[in-house]
Amino acid sequence: MSSLVPPPTDEDNPQARTGTAALSIRGLAKRFGEKIAVDGVSLEVPPGSFYGLVGPNGAGKTTTLSMATGLLRPDFGQALVHGVDVWVQPLQAKKLMGILPDGVRLFDRLTGEQLVTYAGLLRGMDRETVVQRTGDLLRALDLTNDAGTLVVDYSAGMTKKIALASALIHAPKLLVLDEPFESVDPVSAANIRDILTGYVQSGGSVIVSSHVMDLVQRMCDHVAVIAAGTVLAAGTVDEVRGDATLEDRFVELVGGRNTSEGLTWLRTS
Amino acid sequence: MVAHLLRLKILLLRNSLGRSTGQLIGVILGGLYGLGVLGLIVVGLVLLGSQDPELIRTVLVIGGSATVLGWIVIPIAAAGIDMTLDPARFVTFAIPRHELLAGLVLGGLVGIPGIVTLIAALTQVLTWMRYPAAALAALVCALVAVLLCVVASRLVTTAVSSLTGSRRFKDINGIVAFIPLIFLGPIIGGVTAGFQGSPGFARSLADVLAWTPLGALWAVPADVAMGDPGAALLRFLIGAATLVLFLVLWSRTLAHALVTPPYNAVAKRAGGNLGWFGRFPATPAGAVAARALTYWLRDPRYSASLVVIPFVAVLLYFSGGASGTAFAFLGPLTAFLLAWSISADISYDNTAFSLHLSTGVRGLDDRLGRAAALLVFSLPITLVFTVVPLLITGRPEDLPVMLGLALGLLLTGAGLSSLVSARYTYNVPLPGESAFKTPPGTNFTMFTVQFIGWIVMVLLALPELVLTIVYFVTGDALFGWLTLLVGLVLGAVLLVAGIRVGGRWYDSRAPELLLAVSANR
């Protein structure tokens, strides 16, 4: 096979890796009024990886993931899921993705069971598969006893779990989870971790955002540190953290630790 | 501490103005409206001063009683219309209770309703200028009465706030509260008729009210003016005692509410019942329809408009009399209202709409599902509401024209709504909020969209409308049948067109829609 144009190299053109990356984010940027929320973020999530996205509050994690999943139109940049451009072929790209957005409402006047069923049917799945998988998911997430309760009456952790179930129902190739462990109890969190680990082992890819460093260090094989809308470091967890713990490395990268005495009056003795 | 609370309220009010220009315009318009009403009241009260004391008394007592009643009833109906100084938010601050009470009362006066009430009540003094003693009494009574308004309103809010913590109560209240509002028109009509029917009616009403806590304080100046100090003292005691009683009760309920956070008792229920999801086809459009229909029945913001419909029938029946033409037009009117009701569907979804976006629903399926859910119940309602009134009023020969007009409006409106909701969003009550609660400052966009939408709807349905008029002018049955034909065919064409074009708009703008609705939180 010959071509007039010389083949692109990996360094100056990430296109060469398109076929392999589960999620490829290229130069995504978004401005809200005066504030630049995301300022040219590029990430490569290899297939079969468990990718952590960490950053302080307001770093642009949610904005980046929203743009990568087709929920928020970027001002610049591209996002490709297994080579499918999210903003050029949105319907095809969304078939490959399971999305757990953060900070959005659910159709909470449905029962938990109805909500997961709804997500499945919206994806065009047939009724038998939806019913069977809904049952499995509710069992796995320990929600069977509340399946008929309205989601509006769920606790915060249960709401998170039912939203996760809605993201898993169509067995996507890539999972994009924004803060999946927030307000989830430790037992459920361990169950979710097992589900996700099994999913990755079977060839799926996961990208999670979190600000629990410890969790990311234990769970993920790749990590990106993002602050003020830009990527500060990205790579395998071991590459990024070096000799230190991820938390120390994170603080070192992001800065902002107060080392002075501070709040002396708060000490009781 | 009282000053702190007051400053907090003013700060909250000021910051809420700064959030967006649209909101600011809304508040300015609301303020101008309030100012206009206030101006009319002040001028009216001053002019009233030249009348004889008996008439002044009647007007002031009835108007004053209505004001107190309003302060008590409106917070219940609106389920927390102004909870910026919600006592629950001060739980952790350990504020002495009497200071909290004082701060909350004064805070309740800050804001358009409080200021309007205060100024209007004080204008009473000008009304009684011809009687110096009465004017002095009016000054004292006005202040006590305004305090009574605020305290009564706060008492009610605090008392129901433990109830409003439960979602079920909120849901039911949101719907039930609509019913008196619907009958407000007939009630006012009845009272007006009473006034016109017998001149003594108003006076006897005022006489009764003057001995109740609602009206007692407003009658005191008149008693002074007419030289009856005994009655004046007694009535003032009634008013003051009510104020003290309400204060004590409020203080008690507040103390109780502060240590009893609202608890929402929820029974666990196992699954197995998919509801409408089991009955609609297992396609994306079918699922959207099932979801929308579930919401029509389960979300008070939707079901409130369903509850209203039978009352529209009752109202039209009574307002036009049994032979009235108004009742005969029940079908077309209902069709129009129902069809327009999905024009803000995505605004009502709020950010839950992101599920449609993340699952990659095609615009066509989204539009189709929502329109189908509407038609599933509106079609039978429209048919019944068209046929039954005509049979009752004994005009079966008008069936074709009325069916044509009603179905034409329903289908055209459903098509237009499918188009409008894919393009325009405005702030509507959030999921879980009362159907009454319209976020301030959004009215401008809302009215623009609705007003233009209605004009477009009339234009689109012009063929049916013209044929209907021609039918009634000529009385030729042919035009009746023509209306039916045009209504069905044109309506169906416009419905399909609306769903298709709306679907295309949705496909190209869905992320922008999500961004627009997420601004309302």
Side-chain angles (χ1 to χ4, degrees), chain B residues 411-427:
Chain B
L411 298 175
T412 308
L416 183 62
S417 294
S418 301
L419 200 67
V420 169
S421 83
R423 181 66 185 79
Y424 301 100
T425 58
Y426 42 83
N427 289 7

Side-chain angles (χ1 to χ4, degrees), chain A:
Chain A
M1 207 172 98
S2 69
S3 167
L4 294 175
V5 190
T9 58
D10 272 10
E11 288 84 65
D12 58 19
N13 193 346
Q15 193 80 38
R17 299 197 299 255
T18 323
T20 55
L23 175 65
S24 174
I25 295 176
R26 296 173 188 173
L28 282 183
K30 184 75 187 176
R31 171 206 287 271
F32 294 112
E34 293 289 293
K35 186 177 182 291
I36 297 173
V38 173
D39 191 9
V41 165
S42 299
L43 292 174
E44 292 284 317
V45 179
S49 66
F50 205 137
Y51 205 105
L53 187 61
V54 299
N57 299 331
K61 302 188 292 285
T62 296
T63 311
T64 303
L65 292 182
S66 297
M67 289 191 288
T69 51
L71 297 183
L72 177 70
R73 200 183 297 278
D75 293 339
F76 298 101
Q78 279 185 296
L80 293 94
V81 180
H82 289 283
V84 182
D85 191 315
V86 174
W87 289 98
V88 175
Q89 296 172 288
L91 299 192
Q92 286 85 335
K94 284 167 185 172
K95 281 202 173 67
L96 303 169
M97 274 189 290
I99 307 166
L100 172 73
D102 186 36
V104 301
R105 290 168 192 275
L106 302 174
F107 284 106
D108 57 12
R109 301 276 157 163
L110 302 181
T111 66
E113 190 183 27
Q114 283 177 328
L115 182 64
V116 181
T117 307
Y118 186 39
L121 292 176
L122 283 181
R123 300 255 183 201
M125 298 163 63
D126 65 83
R127 197 190 298 275
E128 289 69 38
T129 318
V130 170
V131 167
Q132 185 220 326
R133 286 190 186 171
T134 303
D136 292 347
L137 282 167
L138 291 173
R139 242 187 321 279
L141 292 165
D142 195 24
L143 288 169
T144 310
N145 289 334
D146 291 295
T149 311
L150 296 193
V151 174
V152 68
D153 291 331
Y154 275 12
S155 70
M158 289 159 76
T159 309
K160 207 65 156 175
K161 288 196 284 180
I162 205 75
L164 180 65
S166 311
L168 292 173
I169 181 117
H170 61 298
K173 291 175 82 173
L174 168 72
L175 270 178
V176 182
L177 311 176
D178 199 353
E179 298 284 0
F181 297 105
E182 208 175 43
S183 53
V184 172
D185 67 87
V187 176
S188 297
N191 286 341
I192 294 174
R193 263 202 322 274
D194 286 349
I195 294 171
L196 294 181
T197 313
Y199 171 79
V200 169
Q201 274 161 4
S202 70
S205 322
V206 180
I207 176 165
V208 293
S209 82
S210 179
H211 41 238
V212 185
M213 296 303 136
D214 193 40
L215 195 76
V216 172
Q217 183 175 341
R218 271 187 295 141
M219 198 172 62
C220 299
D221 43 47
H222 286 66
V223 68
V225 180
I226 172 170
T230 50
V231 178
L232 298 181
T236 65
V237 172
D238 291 335
E239 279 169 14
V240 171
R241 75 186 172 104
D243 300 331
T245 64
L246 188 59
E247 182 159 343
D248 290 341
R249 180 74 180 125
F250 176 83
V251 171
E252 186 189 324
L253 280 168
V254 173
R257 280 279 285 140
N258 293 326
T259 44
S260 64
E261 284 291 293
L263 303 192
T264 42
W265 48 265
L266 192 56
R267 293 170 194 166
T268 47
S269 57

